[in-house]
Amino acid sequence: MAKNQNNKIFVERRPEGDYAVRKSDSKRASAIEPTQKQAIERAKEIAPDAKPHVERVRNTETGGRDKWRNP
């Protein structure tokens, strides 16, 4: 069974320092968690069949955020 774009879930760091769990087709977060670990756990609860896409929180040599990583 192929996973479509609507089955993706993302964990992103917010400017406030906490983490948002967001489905690919949503404009608002499904959950806000204080740590990345808790956000990954919550993402797995929200979408158990999807592998969360997790934003890296380290900065690269070019000064921006790195891409996505696997939890």
Side-chain angles (χ1 to χ4, degrees), residues 19-63:
Y19 294 84
V21 178
R22 183 181 59 80
K23 291 183 180 180
S24 63
D25 58 350
S26 70
K27 292 184 169 111
R28 294 182 52 182
S30 298
I32 304 294
E33 299 293 340
T35 67
Q36 188 181 58
K37 181 178 179 181
Q38 290 172 311
I40 291 169
E41 291 171 3
R42 184 69 179 121
K44 290 177 181 178
E45 291 173 3
I46 292 170
D49 295 333
K51 187 172 186 179
H53 296 274
V54 181
E55 180 183 25
R56 292 186 189 255
V57 294
R58 67 179 182 174
N59 289 326
T60 63
E61 292 177 1
T62 59

